[in-house]
Amino acid sequence: MSISRVLATCALMMTSVHAFAAPNTVYGTDFGTGSEYTAAIADTNVTFYAKTKGNRGLKDGVFSYKPAQDGYQGVGVSPLKGSDVTVGEIDKNEWIIAKFDDATVISNLTLGLLFNGPEYGDNKEQASITVTYFDNSTDTFKLVATGDTTAFWSGLGSVTNLSPAIDGLGGVWSLDNPFGDTAIKSFSLTSLKEKSDFTLYSVTAVPEPESYAMLALGLGLVGFMARRGRSRMYA
């Protein structure tokens, strides 16, 4: 392989590495008002579904919204027909389900309008998040607001408050590495209690770690070939 071809290949692979390494975020404001929404994220696609409880299991709902608070606009679920407990939020018996085409590591989930109870006459609000890993095992975690800027998260990673959980503000919580470095195939968001609701603000994902390892190996091989080519030129 010529030096020029080696350098061109390196440049192409470096571009690929940059594309893979840059986390991609999908925002709830992009979902529209249908029953599902598909977007590119990291190096795969994700489809979000709005679901409600039916007589024979889950049935289609629609994505819905309420006015932003403190500049944070999330997405909720409403039924296709009939009344809704809280338009624009995820209530009990409502779900947002995300399904990924390929192994995906979630680096951040951000949820909003999750308060610790007295602000709007609700219960101490909590989000229930069920994740399915790529070996088909599952876990269910809870995010519970415990104060104006404090919350309990039963999963991995850490929780940070982005907007205080007080009247008029967003009650926004950022979950970093909520499932660790384990690749997942899907997750679902719902509430387990009456008068406990919240919104999905954003999802950020990165490729599974194996993708980085394969790219690093490829770059190493190309670098080796470049060095070998230079050695032959000056021999």
Side-chain angles (χ1 to χ4, degrees):
M1 179 182 287
S2 68
I3 294 297
S4 60
R5 289 184 63 187
V6 168
L7 293 176
T9 302
C10 283
L12 178 60
M13 293 190 71
M14 287 302 293
T15 300
S16 298
V17 168
H18 178 74
F20 281 129
N24 281 312
T25 301
V26 177
Y27 294 92
T29 50
D30 297 332
F31 287 15
T33 56
S35 295
E36 62 181 73
Y37 171 74
T38 300
I41 189 168
D43 60 347
T44 188
N45 290 322
V46 57
T47 300
F48 297 89
Y49 301 90
K51 296 292 183 179
T52 62
K53 185 178 181 180
N55 294 330
R56 298 181 179 179
L58 301 186
K59 62 180 183 180
D60 287 344
V62 292
F63 298 117
S64 63
Y65 306 84
K66 66 191 310 180
Q69 292 189 192
D70 199 24
Y72 289 92
Q73 177 70 70
V75 61
V77 176
S78 292
L80 281 169
K81 298 180 180 179
S83 61
D84 191 0
V85 176
T86 312
V87 175
E89 297 192 55
I90 305 169
D91 299 284
K92 184 179 180 180
N93 298 325
E94 295 177 345
W95 292 261
I96 288 182
I97 300 172
K99 294 184 178 181
F100 298 87
D101 287 353
D102 300 297
T104 305
V105 175
I106 301 299
S107 59
N108 181 273
L109 278 178
T110 299
L111 308 180
L113 300 184
L114 190 78
F115 298 92
N116 66 333
E119 293 79 14
Y120 298 98
D122 290 339
N123 293 316
K124 188 179 291 294
E125 295 185 314
Q126 57 180 264
S128 177
I129 305 176
T130 298
V131 58
T132 300
Y133 304 103
F134 260 78
D135 63 0
N136 290 316
S137 63
T138 62
D139 275 319
T140 297
F141 304 108
K142 291 182 180 179
L143 173 63
V144 184
T146 57
D148 294 347
T149 58
T150 58
F152 166 75
W153 168 241
S154 64
L156 301 174
S158 61
V159 56
T160 304
N161 180 264
L162 301 182
S163 177
I166 59 179
D167 285 352
L169 295 185
V172 179
W173 310 92
S174 173
L175 295 169
D176 288 323
N177 296 320
F179 316 121
D181 294 327
T182 304
I184 71 168
K185 62 194 304 184
S186 67
F187 70 82
S188 66
L189 301 169
T190 192
S191 175
L192 301 179
K193 300 171 63 177
E194 300 288 353
K195 293 187 177 181
S196 177
D197 39 52
F198 61 97
T199 62
L200 171 61
Y201 177 72
S202 66
V203 179
T204 301
V206 295
E208 63 174 333
E210 291 177 3
S211 299
Y212 293 112
M214 291 177 65
L215 284 168
L217 177 61
L219 284 171
L221 290 173
V222 171
F224 170 77
M225 293 177 69
R227 291 192 298 272
R228 183 179 180 186
R230 286 195 296 270
S231 298
R232 287 181 175 178
M233 289 179 61
Y234 296 110

